[in-house]
């Protein structure tokens, strides 16, 4: 996981093609403008995401007689933040490549790249290569056509930047200066698996800014809690919608002042276009197909179907256990672990993909000691894993917390989840942040000379895993939420499909950016095997009634296809577990309701979806 940022100052930004109503966003900064935060604030937020190195590159801008001029790249940031400049900041958590790198990367042509992501396919990359270095080399070969709109290769035979980026399989967010066209390219992958926030210029701050995370000072700490229907201002930062964007310096529009026009570009890969649309061909079964003797698949075909899903998930996990950079300790990969269906599948598949010499950390957070449902299921889950993978050393890392003692931590996570601002976001964010930190306890056996008399003692343990597998996307794709059952009762199969589609099309905004920021703040990289492009495509090809059958009880029909996968992995107990969201399984939601509202009932009456604060 890395942290990236961009600041553009002293330049008029033309947003007319992107935000037609943004009439005030093209004004130049006023001399009296007071900046809300500085570059050091941005760096402070990024440094924790990328603890291995942090660098800055700046470009100073000028326009003269209708021509755009650019000086050489400078290492240090500008002394005067009202100057005309572009500033790139990159903090690196290096997980791939033999030699250390420092971002931003600059090639011999003057192109600049800051990158946060992983290439799991689509372009050639050896296991010991650094993907950022491969990307800047490949991007330097892209065309510099001013239109940037051709659908295929341009007349020069080169890929356009959007066309090349559409080829990447895996999570990414990047900012790229193309020297030959004087264009900044920026964006995030089509599913939004890496955070990238944007501040469009306005009267509060006329700079255009991009950042993986909002600075710690980007929250109005003096504002009171407000409810969903109460007064609230638009957030200073917002999640950048998933796309590729260009910001071009056009000399014909400069007229004495620097002008940049922002455009949004389409994805060129047909697979990405299908995943964004999230259209399923077989949604509503015929009555005959639900009768056992007339089911869509024979028993042999159904076994083959589940084997295909298992194989796709295993390949997805295998891709996400590739690392060649710095790793510490004996457990380079960990699992965010509740002992539930999704995390048990990921843990079992990780065991099959990871070299047996490594240990596996299972990170479990509880706000009610050993009594939290997720702690109970985690302990049962690790016992089941030890039965099917006897040679692996499994470390169940029990992370205990008391919400009343997390004053500083709560304020810090409020900054990380920004622009998300509800109690639910905060509860999930705190649980994820603590779990990713991996600072807890493990149980070790004592009295090993006599197994019958052996006991366990808890010892302090700090997980040093830099890669964290997370089960995001399983519930959205396989009907795991309670609202899915509600929608099925209301509108049958078509309504269920539309609800699942809505979940997948907004997961980048509601979940993934927030989760990425909370996990990465610990210097860890979240990887999402259920959101692999090939896994999503395969699940969409399967009839909905084979994915889930919500006529059946909870723990049976919801996520039906994943329950079959669990059984194929010999996880018989996990295959029957009901869904529990982390805020409920860890019991942070209960503790939060008691702290902020006095009781769960009072919290429900006040609405737990109320806003926490008024963002700047």
């Amino acid at each position: 996981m890395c942290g990236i940022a961009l600041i553009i100052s002293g330049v008029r930004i033309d947003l007319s093609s992107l935000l037609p109503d943004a009439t005030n966003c093209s004004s130049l900064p006023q001399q009296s403008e007071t900046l809300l935060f500085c570059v050091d604030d941005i760096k402070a937020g990024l440094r924790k995401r990328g603890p291995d190195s942090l660098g800055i590159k700046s470009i100073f801008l000028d326009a003269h007689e209708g021509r755009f001029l650019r000086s050489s790249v400078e290492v240090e940031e500008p002394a005067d933040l009202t100057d005309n400049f572009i500033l790139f900041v990159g903090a690196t958590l290096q997980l791939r490549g033999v030699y250390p790198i420092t971002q931003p990367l600059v090639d011999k042509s003057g192109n600049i790249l800051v990158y946060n992501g992983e290439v799991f396919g689509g372009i050639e990359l050896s296991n010991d290569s650094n993907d950022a270095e491969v990307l800047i080399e490949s991007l330097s070969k892209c065309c510099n056509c001013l239109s940037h709109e051709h659908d295929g290769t341009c007349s020069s035979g080169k890929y356009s930047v959007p066309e090349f980026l559409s080829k990447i399989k895996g999570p990414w967010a990047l900012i790229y200066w193309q020297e030959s066209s004087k264009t900044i390219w920026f964006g995030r992958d089509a599913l939004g698996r890496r955070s990238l926030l944007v501040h469009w210029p306005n009267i509060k701050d006329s700079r255009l800014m991009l950042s993986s995370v909002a600075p710690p000072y980007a929250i109005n700490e003096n504002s009171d809690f407000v409810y969903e229907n109460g007064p609230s201002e638009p957030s200073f930062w917002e999640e950048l919608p998933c796309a590729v964007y260009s910001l071009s310096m056009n000399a014909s529009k400069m007229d004495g002042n620097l002008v940049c026009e922002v455009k949004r570009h389409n994805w060129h890969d047909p697979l990405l276009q299908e995943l964004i649309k999230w259209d399923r061909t077989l949604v509503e079964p015929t009555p005959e197909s639900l009768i056992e003797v007339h089911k869509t698949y024979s028993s042999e075909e159904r076994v083959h179907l589940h084997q295909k899903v298992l194989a796709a998930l295993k390949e997805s996990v295998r891709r996400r256990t590739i690392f060649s950079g710095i790793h510490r300790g004996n457990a380079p990969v960990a699992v965010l672990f509740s002992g539930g269906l999704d995390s048990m599948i990921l843990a079992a598949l990780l065991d099959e993909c990871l070299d047996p010499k490594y240990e596996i950390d299972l990170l479990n957070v509880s706000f009610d000691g050993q009594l939290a449902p997720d702690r109970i299921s985690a302990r049962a889950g690790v016992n089941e894993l030890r039965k099917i993978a006897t040679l692996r050393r499994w470390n169940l890392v029990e992370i205990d917390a008391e919400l009343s003692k997390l004053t500083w931590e709560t304020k810090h996570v409020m900054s990380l989840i920004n622009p998300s601002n509800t109690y639910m976001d905060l509860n999930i964010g705190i649980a994820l942040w603590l779990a990713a930190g991996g600072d807890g306890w493990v149980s070790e056996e004592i009295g090993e000379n006599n197994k019958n008399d052996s006991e366990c003692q808890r010892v302090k343990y700090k997980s040093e895993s830099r890669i964290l597998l997370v089960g995001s996307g399983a519930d959205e794709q396989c009907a795991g939420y309670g609202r899915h059952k509600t929608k099925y009762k209301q509108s049958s199969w078509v309504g269920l499909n539309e609800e699942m589609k809505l979940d997948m099309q907004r997961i980048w905004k509601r979940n993934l950016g927030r989760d990425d920021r909370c996990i990465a703040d610990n210097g860890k990289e979240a990887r999402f095997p259920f959101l692999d492009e090939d896994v999503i495509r395969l699940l969409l090809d399967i009839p909905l009634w084979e994915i889930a059958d919500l006529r059946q009880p909870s723990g049976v029909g919801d996520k039906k296809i994943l329950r079959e996968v669990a059984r194929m992995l010999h996880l018989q107990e996990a295959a029957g577990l009901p869904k529990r969201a982390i805020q409920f399984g860890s019991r942070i939601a209960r503790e939060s309701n008691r702290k902020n509202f006095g009781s769960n009932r009072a919290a429900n009456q006040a609405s737990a979806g109320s806003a926490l604060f008024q963002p700047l």
Side-chain angles (χ1 to χ4, degrees), residues 99-380:
Y99 305 104
I101 69 163
T102 299
Q103 297 195 77
L105 298 180
V106 183
D107 67 14
K108 60 184 179 181
S109 300
N111 302 308
I112 303 173
L113 175 68
V114 285
Y115 169 73
N116 172 30
E118 298 290 342
V119 176
F120 294 134
I123 61 175
E124 283 193 35
L125 186 71
S126 61
N127 286 347
D128 59 353
S129 297
N130 180 274
D131 41 4
E133 292 180 323
V134 172
L135 282 178
I136 192 170
E137 181 181 358
S138 300
L139 285 166
S140 70
K141 299 174 183 177
C142 290
C143 77
N144 59 2
C145 299
L146 293 179
S147 69
H148 308 300
E149 292 298 340
H150 48 74
D151 293 328
T153 53
C154 68
S155 57
S156 66
K158 299 179 179 179
Y159 286 123
S160 68
V161 172
E163 187 178 11
F164 172 75
L165 294 178
S166 296
K167 291 161 58 70
I168 299 175
K169 287 186 176 181
W172 59 265
L174 61 76
I175 306 163
Y176 175 65
W177 168 263
Q178 188 178 45
E179 168 65 18
S180 59
S181 66
K182 303 297 186 291
T183 300
I184 296 174
W185 296 91
F186 60 95
R188 60 197 292 207
D189 72 81
L191 299 171
R193 292 164 290 187
R194 288 291 175 263
S195 171
L196 192 58
L197 303 179
V198 61
H199 166 70
W200 301 115
N202 59 25
I203 57 175
K204 285 186 175 180
D205 194 322
S206 61
R207 298 173 294 179
L208 186 150
M209 291 182 282
L210 299 166
S211 181
S212 298
V213 63
Y217 305 105
I219 292 177
N220 184 354
E221 295 183 356
N222 295 322
S223 63
D224 297 327
F225 286 5
V226 296
Y227 297 120
E228 193 169 25
N229 296 325
S232 180
E233 300 179 27
S235 177
F236 183 92
W237 295 94
E238 61 183 79
E239 299 274 1
L240 181 72
C242 305
V244 177
Y245 301 81
S246 65
L247 196 156
S248 300
M249 310 284 180
N250 194 324
S252 64
K253 296 183 179 180
M254 286 184 176
D255 192 25
N257 290 313
L258 290 169
V259 177
C260 297
E261 182 182 9
V262 181
K263 290 185 178 180
R264 177 171 174 165
H265 302 271
N266 295 324
W267 300 107
H268 289 258
D269 188 292
L271 172 61
L272 288 184
Q273 294 172 356
E274 291 176 6
L275 298 187
I276 293 169
K277 293 178 182 176
W278 210 80
D279 286 333
R280 188 187 304 276
T281 303
L282 299 174
V283 172
E284 195 166 16
T286 62
E288 292 79 13
S289 64
L290 294 177
I291 301 174
E292 189 64 36
V293 293
H294 297 296
K295 281 190 177 290
T296 309
Y297 296 104
S298 66
S299 57
E300 293 82 6
E301 289 173 330
R302 185 168 288 104
V303 169
H304 179 64
L305 174 67
H306 297 144
Q307 288 174 336
K308 287 176 63 178
V309 176
L310 174 59
L313 284 171
K314 182 176 180 179
E315 174 60 19
S316 175
V317 170
R318 186 198 65 79
R319 292 170 180 166
R320 285 158 178 79
T321 56
I322 295 173
F323 55 89
S324 55
I326 303 168
H327 68 83
R328 306 180 180 92
N330 299 318
V333 185
V335 180
L336 185 65
F337 191 72
S338 67
L341 176 65
D342 308 335
S343 61
M344 285 290 287
I345 289 175
L346 294 183
L349 290 175
L350 177 58
D351 172 67
E352 295 185 4
C353 297
L354 192 64
D355 191 310
K357 70 180 181 182
Y358 293 120
E359 302 173 8
I360 294 178
D361 287 347
L362 306 173
L363 309 180
N364 177 267
V365 65
S366 169
F367 291 81
D368 194 19
Q370 305 306 315
L371 300 178
D374 277 3
R375 177 62 51 80
I376 295 170
S377 58
R379 288 194 157 193

Side-chain angles (χ1 to χ4, degrees), residues 428-462:
I428 294 172
I430 292 174
L432 290 175
W433 185 80
L434 288 171
D439 193 357
W441 303 79
V442 295
S443 296
E444 292 185 350
E445 285 189 354
I446 56 177
E448 294 184 11
N449 292 332
N450 186 345
K451 293 292 184 181
N452 293 328
D453 297 329
S454 64
E455 297 179 357
C456 289
Q457 63 178 0
R458 294 179 93 210
V459 297
K460 283 294 293 181
Y461 183 89
K462 171 75 171 176

